[in-house]
Amino acid sequence: MTVAVDLGVTHTGEPAELDLEELLSTRLLVQGNSGSGKSHLLRRLLERSAGHVQQAIIDPEGDFVTLAERYGHVVVDANRTPSELARIASRIRQHRASVVLTLEGLDAEVQMMCAAAFLNGLFDADRAFWFPMLIAVDEAHLFAPAMAGEHSEEARRASLGAMTNLMCRGRKRGLAGVIATQRLAKLAKNVAAEASNFLMGRTFLDIDMQRAADLLGIDRRGAERFRDLETGNFVALGPALFRRPLPIRIGPTETHSKAGRPTLTPLPDLPPEDLADLVFTVTDEEREADRRAAMRPHYTPPPRPEPQPNAGTGEIIARVSSNAASRERAEAQEDDGRSPDERAEVVDQIFAEMLADPDAAFRPVPVLYQEFLTHCRLKRLRGGETDMVAFRRRLSLARAGISAETDDPEWQMIVERSADLPEEMQGVFMMIARAARDEAECPSDEALAKAYGSHSPSRGRFLLNFMTERGVIHADQDFRGNRVVTITGTDWRTKLPEITLSSLDEARARRAARLSRDV
């Protein structure tokens, strides 16, 4: 079945149509400087073909998410782990859903890794799901750069490999690439060379004009016309378009980008004094943020105790005798008349007092147990609460900030499952489970190590690997190295951290440090 996609009109006023079935076999390359109308052209093509073929749009700026409401595209946020994106891509091919993969807000290097994982997932789908699919990639030079730049070699290789697979080997798998770029010189040649259809827009640099002219079979004098093209005008050539280069003008679209074209707006009509007040006056929101920051607890090291003179032998013997006498008097007390709830409350108070000391998290368990027994004697508490096994388990939970006392059947299942781990790891496991259930971020390596009683962050990574091998959790990472943990047998899953300017700055700083080391 031949489907003609109406792109607009030719310079003679005739309809400019694209053969969609031919496009699926021959692919399309769109080139034009910023502001030439490339994104408008892609939007027109996607709108007019939406009812005929499955579509996937790689959208680095979030411009095409507006297609979702009008044409039913599913918006996929790329802030996920590589395995998640690959599984989503496989289900997209299986269920033939049209999607927009939005990469907005991600660092450029992370965008490359996300696009690579998504495209590879589409490419590696089962043969039974190789249905025809249009893959539109805006700003394709970001994902298939002609040369190494500021990005890591790993990201460049992964992204370039995925784009090469799409353009070179995608046809047999039903994938038709439609790529748009600002400059042909910035796009990898082995990716651009696989396109048989071309739409060339306004171009100013000589090297890009010459490459565009070579692709269209135009002489050097004819290449000058690319400088004179207006916004939304392109020169079309290819088996799905026209057999000879023909100027066309792209028609209007039904949806629009969130940003749109920049337009001039009047400047504020305020005197300089008022503008200065607006710039330098602290707002209520900023005051509230400062107040919250000031209320955050800051660790203050405890004062160092004054050195005490060494006690003599007689004084030491007197102390030991006094302690022994006190112990004998405590053991001679009548049976404790407090209820189990009251005794449990006393134990909670003891643990709270012990762990209030920041160094308590890193003391050996036998030392803490002796300290615990001392507190119990002072509180006249004896019995099952002072058992070493009970103490170890309670300590691991307390270090992790967990209470196992709950009537929730799902949480009871987690508590029972923790019994498969060593006692000192059980509290760490439930700490992760609580974060996953609350959909909070996964605790850091330092937090996990501290809950285990160690100063070393590598201990936290060891704990995660150990629990993964035991099958009680599944740990994964996104492209920025942020950890995502899923509790096996449940739908509990920690969330990825929100993308903020500070996180992007940290990622850029890490990349700059890595580049400086390479130099």
Side-chain angles (χ1 to χ4, degrees):
M1 179 182 68
T2 301
V3 176
V5 177
D6 180 16
L7 295 180
V9 295
T10 65
H11 67 295
T12 60
E14 298 179 357
E17 296 180 340
L18 179 145
D19 188 340
L20 184 59
E21 193 172 56
E22 185 68 25
L23 175 63
L24 294 175
S25 300
T26 53
R27 297 168 292 281
L28 171 65
L29 170 63
V30 182
Q31 189 265 345
N33 290 158
S34 179
S36 61
K38 299 186 304 301
S39 298
H40 179 80
L41 186 157
L42 288 182
R43 187 178 294 272
R44 172 84 176 192
L45 171 59
L46 293 168
E47 288 182 353
R48 294 306 175 104
S49 62
H52 303 286
V53 65
Q54 182 185 2
Q55 300 173 349
I57 303 102
I58 310 298
D59 186 6
E61 299 296 337
D63 291 335
F64 292 92
V65 296
T66 52
L67 291 172
E69 183 176 353
R70 177 67 176 82
Y71 295 97
H73 289 63
V74 178
V75 178
V76 179
D77 186 357
N79 187 28
R80 303 173 186 271
T81 65
S83 58
E84 283 182 306
L85 286 175
R87 290 194 296 267
I88 289 173
S90 178
R91 291 194 291 269
I92 286 170
R93 298 219 66 181
Q94 177 181 355
H95 301 292
R96 306 190 68 183
S98 292
V99 299
V100 178
L101 179 71
T102 174
L103 304 167
E104 184 180 12
L106 299 178
D107 193 19
E109 186 171 321
V110 177
Q111 287 186 348
M112 297 172 72
M113 299 295 289
C114 288
F118 184 77
L119 290 175
N120 288 334
L122 297 176
F123 188 84
D124 296 334
D126 189 88
R127 178 182 287 271
F129 307 126
W130 287 1
F131 302 107
M133 190 174 186
L134 207 62
I135 312 296
V137 184
D138 197 12
E139 308 295 349
H141 55 276
L142 299 177
F143 308 106
M147 61 186 68
E150 62 177 4
H151 311 302
S152 68
E153 185 65 15
E154 177 187 4
R156 190 187 75 86
R157 285 180 179 273
S159 182
L160 180 58
M163 289 289 292
T164 303
N165 281 338
L166 170 65
M167 298 299 288
C168 298
R169 303 170 56 199
R171 184 182 67 83
K172 292 183 178 180
R173 289 168 168 79
L175 302 177
V178 177
I179 58 176
T181 180
Q182 294 180 4
R183 294 190 55 200
L184 287 171
K186 297 166 81 173
L187 186 67
K189 291 184 178 180
N190 58 340
V191 172
E194 295 301 324
S196 302
N197 302 284
F198 307 98
L199 284 164
M200 300 299 176
R202 182 173 58 207
T203 305
F204 288 98
L205 291 180
D206 292 341
I207 184 174
D208 294 324
M209 288 193 302
Q210 188 57 49
R211 286 194 61 182
D214 292 341
L215 289 173
L216 298 180
I218 301 175
D219 57 20
R220 287 183 175 272
R221 295 182 59 185
E224 296 291 333
R225 75 168 70 177
F226 295 119
R227 283 200 178 107
D228 301 327
L229 291 174
E230 297 180 357
T231 299
N233 286 263
F234 292 82
V235 179
L237 176 68
L241 292 163
F242 306 101
R243 298 298 177 180
R244 59 185 178 85
L246 197 65
I248 66 172
R249 181 173 184 81
I250 306 302
T253 60
E254 298 182 11
T255 62
H256 302 280
S257 168
K258 295 186 301 181
R261 292 180 61 86
T263 56
L264 292 175
T265 57
L267 293 173
D269 188 13
L270 292 174
E273 296 79 7
D274 293 345
L275 284 175
D277 290 340
L278 292 176
V279 171
F280 296 111
T281 301
V282 180
T283 63
D284 294 339
E285 292 80 3
E286 292 171 339
R287 289 195 187 93
E288 179 64 18
D290 292 341
R291 186 186 66 82
R292 292 180 179 177
M295 293 177 61
R296 292 172 186 162
H298 298 279
Y299 170 68
T300 302
R304 299 179 65 88
E306 294 293 335
Q308 300 293 332
N310 294 331
T313 305
E315 185 178 351
I316 294 176
I317 294 175
R319 290 179 183 177
V320 174
S321 301
S322 176
N323 291 337
S326 300
R327 183 167 58 252
E328 292 174 358
R329 286 195 300 269
E331 293 174 353
Q333 294 288 337
E334 297 180 352
D335 292 339
D336 196 344
R338 288 169 291 189
S339 65
D341 292 339
E342 293 174 338
R343 294 168 62 88
E345 184 178 353
V346 173
V347 174
D348 290 339
Q349 294 175 355
I350 294 174
F351 270 96
E353 293 174 2
M354 291 175 55
L355 297 181
D357 182 0
D359 293 333
F362 309 107
R363 291 178 186 164
V365 174
V367 174
L368 290 176
Y369 181 58
Q370 293 300 323
E371 183 178 344
F372 173 71
L373 291 179
T374 301
H375 282 281
C376 289
R377 293 189 186 102
L378 294 176
K379 300 287 187 181
R380 298 180 180 178
L381 186 68
R382 291 178 296 169
E385 296 88 348
T386 61
D387 180 72
M388 181 64 171
V389 176
F391 173 79
R392 281 182 175 274
R393 179 173 177 79
R394 182 63 180 270
L395 178 64
S396 64
L397 296 178
R399 278 174 166 172
I402 301 295
S403 175
E405 301 298 331
T406 178
D407 296 330
D408 189 337
E410 289 187 338
W411 190 251
Q412 285 293 344
M413 179 190 67
I414 295 298
V415 175
E416 294 173 1
R417 185 174 297 173
S418 68
D420 297 334
L421 298 171
E423 289 181 358
E424 61 272 15
M425 293 188 187
Q426 295 175 9
V428 181
F429 169 66
M430 284 188 273
M431 178 184 184
I432 299 172
R434 184 180 64 176
R437 185 178 188 182
D438 296 341
E439 296 184 353
E441 297 179 14
C442 181
S444 64
D445 292 337
E446 293 80 2
L448 296 176
K450 182 177 180 181
Y452 185 74
S454 172
H455 286 281
S456 174
S458 62
R459 178 62 60 177
R461 295 188 289 272
F462 163 77
L463 293 172
L464 286 174
N465 293 334
F466 184 88
M467 294 179 192
T468 301
E469 293 174 357
R470 288 292 183 95
V472 295
I473 66 170
H474 174 70
D476 203 350
Q477 285 186 336
D478 72 353
F479 298 100
R480 294 185 300 276
N482 298 313
R483 184 184 298 120
V484 180
V485 176
T486 304
I487 305 302
T488 305
T490 71
D491 57 355
W492 299 358
R493 178 179 179 274
T494 62
K495 74 168 185 177
L496 289 170
E498 299 292 337
I499 301 176
T500 62
L501 291 177
S502 60
S503 64
L504 293 178
D505 292 340
E506 292 174 1
R508 294 189 183 100
R510 290 194 298 270
R511 185 172 67 251
R514 184 174 61 250
L515 290 175
S516 64
R517 288 196 303 268
D518 294 341
V519 173

